[in-house]
Amino acid sequence: IATEQTKKNAVHGVLFKGYSGAGSTQPPIVRDAAALSNHAEFFKAFFGEGGEYMRYVTSTVGSPEVTKVGKEYKIGQTIQVNTAQLRKHLEQAGVIRGLSSGF
């Protein structure tokens, strides 16, 4: 369950928070804060059980790292997400505008 949740969290983070690592920084793909509520049905299906978000997780690197924090456990894993294909899918679905639409 934790491995599947890390994949979902990775895609969600790329979409709404951006990421940094390996000497590069990427802003969030979805920059409009209201997009999550405006396209609630799309994101509910996208992140649902067996949702389309899995198509954009290209690989998991290494095994999960488990750390005990108090009485709970924290699980961390490196996940690779195909951001180019994810952006293209969101543009086609009308969730975000294309990069060339503003010019």
Side-chain angles (χ1 to χ4, degrees), residues 1-19 46-47 53-54 57 75-77 79 81 86:
I1 295 172
T3 303
E4 295 306 314
Q5 188 63 41
T6 58
K7 293 175 184 177
K8 187 181 291 188
N9 291 347
V11 173
H12 189 275
V14 167
L15 287 175
F16 299 105
K17 295 180 182 178
Y19 64 91
F46 186 79
F47 286 113
Y53 74 93
M54 289 296 295
V57 175
I75 300 173
Q77 189 169 17
I79 308 290
V81 178
L86 181 57

Side-chain angles (χ1 to χ4, degrees), residues 34-65:
L36 188 58
S37 60
N38 291 344
H39 301 281
E41 288 298 317
F42 172 82
F43 286 114
K44 184 177 179 181
F46 186 79
F47 286 113
E49 186 71 30
E52 286 190 64
Y53 74 93
M54 289 296 295
R55 290 180 32 199
Y56 305 102
V57 175
T58 57
S59 68
T60 57
V61 179
S63 59
E65 297 175 13

Side-chain angles (χ1 to χ4, degrees), residues 82-97:
N82 187 339
T83 56
Q85 290 297 320
L86 181 57
R87 174 181 291 284
K88 186 175 180 179
H89 175 71
L90 294 173
E91 288 173 0
Q92 290 174 347
V95 175
I96 61 173
R97 292 184 2 200

